[in-house]
Amino acid sequence: MNNYNSNITPKKADKYLINGEIKTWNGAFNQVYSTISSTEKYAPTFLGEVPDLTEKEGLEAVEAANNAFDNGQGIWPTMKVSDRIKCVENFAHQMKATRAEVVHYLMWEIGKSLPDSEKEFDRTVDYIFETIKSYKELNARNAHFSNVQGINAMIRRSPLGVVLCLGPYNYPLNETFTLLIPALIMGNTVVFKPAKLGVLLIEPLLEIFNKSFPKGVINIVFGRGRELAAPVMKSGLVSVLSLIGNSKAAVALQDLHPNKNRLRLILGLEAKNPAIILADANMDLTVSECISGSLSFNGQRCTALKLIYVHEAVKDEFLEKFCEKVDNLVYGNPWEKDVFLTPLPEKEKPQYIKELIDDALQKGAKIMNAKGGVVTDNFIYPAVIYPVDASMRLFHEEQFGPVVPIMAFKDTATPLQNMSESNYGQQVSLFGKNSEVIAPLIDALINLVCRVNLNSSCQRGPDVFPFTGRKDSAVGTLSIHDALRSFSIRTFVASKDNAYNNEILQELLDSKKCNFINTDYIL
């Protein structure tokens, strides 16, 4: 399926996965529409249907996951590490065959460009294999006894229990799998509900999930969060809430759990990542990075640059070059050549962005680029808004769309103070050259956010680097290395160092009957 065009056959995805059984749904369905128009006169394109499951199916899914975990005594949590790895490897190899179909729906469902859709798929497969590699290394480091103060101990990492996994619509494959795969490989069982957009692309993976993992280990349900996630949380059976989305939803779900002290949180939430452009910044480099940082995938990324601070001395030069580049960005359908801007997948998003722009204009800002704010049925052309101040919604709200607010500053104390007062603290981009100016800024910024990007846009990758945030931007750390730890807990077996105990430990090692106590090295 390499020839992408305006023809698409609607799919009735009537399957879901609970307790090792792919079931056929005969109830109500949610219709899936794309904001990409297949007609000359704009009209949303019907892509298909997905099950609108109810509370009953949600509770069946969490019961299945709970039974599969079986208080830590189930087949999956007690399985040898090498055998769990084989299951995940088997899944990844089979997943490769779905690339064309998944890429197809990434474009149609969320409007992601063809190169970015292919990149998301390939990066996800790579992430799975890198996670396997990291888990092997973790297992090797733990495959020995430590002797401290007359105590022998073997320390490993064990699963936490049932995980509720809720991924985002903007990276419905990649970011979802950065939760799903480490949760599974560490021995947890999972209830997974896809996001509101990017649901049809999960359907080709159902059979592969079912073939690759034991009964009840992975349960995949489709429907509304209120009907599914809410009762799952109320059941009290969930040990880990793993969610990439917004903080309001995360708080609401936490509040439904009857035993919050038992609930571990792994959350990737909203951000308002700023760029700080110093007077000596390389302007061509800065403009290029700020274009990709603020408008890649139409700004619909938590790591997008959502507020740009530019020094008064270079404000005019930056605005002129930045606006020219913005107005030259190519808009079109995701599969068209050289396209950068694509239709917005949320039908209400253009109107929301317009409201933000209108609010700023009413309070003294201007649209600085010629095409800025031009609205169509499924898009609003990126608007460069200047000067923005704290009275405007654009200063505070995470716009998650194609609008770029810009502020000028004379003293770096201004952006630092604003960042310290912000509810968010994920990343920042710092553009400049003078190390004497940059050094104290880095020391201040690193205590306000978790990643300082020097002369480059904010981003998540490479996936081996920590991905997290302060305040309302994240709970827990998601990287290949850290996610394995986030979805597990340190546990150990300890015994006094004497002949009686040591003989028992040696027998356990020699017999290989205990999956926890072993020194096997996995190649």
Side-chain angles (χ1 to χ4, degrees), residues 246-260:
N246 67 73
S247 54
K248 288 182 180 178
V251 170
L253 286 170
Q254 292 172 58
D255 287 344
L256 296 174
H257 200 287
N259 298 295
K260 294 181 184 61

Side-chain angles (χ1 to χ4, degrees), residues 294-365:
S294 61
L295 293 173
S296 289
F297 192 39
N298 304 312
Q300 299 166 122
R301 300 176 300 118
C302 67
T303 56
L305 291 175
K306 299 192 175 81
L307 183 60
I308 296 178
Y309 294 93
V310 58
H311 195 281
E312 280 278 6
V314 292
K315 172 200 66 180
D316 292 338
E317 181 186 2
F318 175 79
L319 282 169
E320 181 182 351
K321 291 185 175 181
F322 186 77
C323 289
E324 181 182 358
K325 273 212 163 189
V326 170
D327 280 346
N328 284 325
L329 295 175
V330 177
Y331 170 76
N333 285 327
W335 49 84
E336 294 174 7
K337 186 179 179 182
D338 298 326
V339 71
F340 188 87
L341 305 167
T342 55
L344 298 170
E346 296 176 288
K347 61 182 180 180
E348 68 277 6
K349 183 58 70 72
Q351 181 57 38
Y352 168 69
I353 296 297
K354 186 177 186 303
E355 289 173 6
L356 294 181
I357 294 171
D358 289 346
D359 173 75
L361 297 182
Q362 290 167 12
K363 294 171 181 174

Side-chain angles (χ1 to χ4, degrees), residues 441-455:
L441 269 176
I442 288 176
D443 289 341
L445 290 167
I446 209 66
N447 292 324
L448 295 173
V449 297
C450 290
R451 174 168 172 165
V452 177
N453 300 276
L454 184 59
N455 291 313

Side-chain angles (χ1 to χ4, degrees), residues 272-276 305-309 419 427-429 449 458:
K272 189 77 173 174
N273 292 339
I276 301 174
L305 291 175
K306 299 192 175 81
L307 183 60
I308 296 178
Y309 294 93
M419 290 174 66
Q427 299 186 32
V428 64
S429 289
V449 297
C458 297

Side-chain angles (χ1 to χ4, degrees), residues 69 71-73 76-81 84 135 138-139 142 154-163 182-189 239-240 264 266 482-493 514-518:
F69 192 73
N71 295 314
Q73 299 173 57
W76 187 247
T78 59
M79 188 180 285
K80 287 183 179 179
V81 170
R84 281 207 301 267
Y135 191 25
L138 175 63
N139 182 70
N142 292 337
M154 176 165 280
I155 306 169
R156 292 186 176 276
R157 301 200 72 91
S158 296
L160 296 163
V162 176
V163 177
L184 287 169
I185 205 169
M186 295 308 293
N188 302 284
T189 58
S239 297
V240 185
R264 178 175 289 200
I266 302 170
D482 293 297
L484 296 175
R485 288 152 180 80
S486 294
F487 284 99
S488 62
I489 190 168
R490 295 185 85 196
T491 57
F492 64 101
V493 174
C514 180
N515 291 341
F516 189 93
I517 296 179
N518 74 79

Side-chain angles (χ1 to χ4, degrees), residues 4 66 72 75 121 158 171 220 245 287 337 361 375 400 454:
Y4 301 102
N66 188 55
I75 293 172
F121 186 93
S158 296
Y171 287 89
I220 303 175
V287 167
K337 186 179 179 182
L361 297 182
V375 182
F400 218 74
L454 184 59

Side-chain angles (χ1 to χ4, degrees), residues 1-7 104 335:
M1 193 181 295
N2 296 317
N3 183 23
Y4 301 102
N5 54 45
S6 61
N7 298 317
H104 185 64
W335 49 84

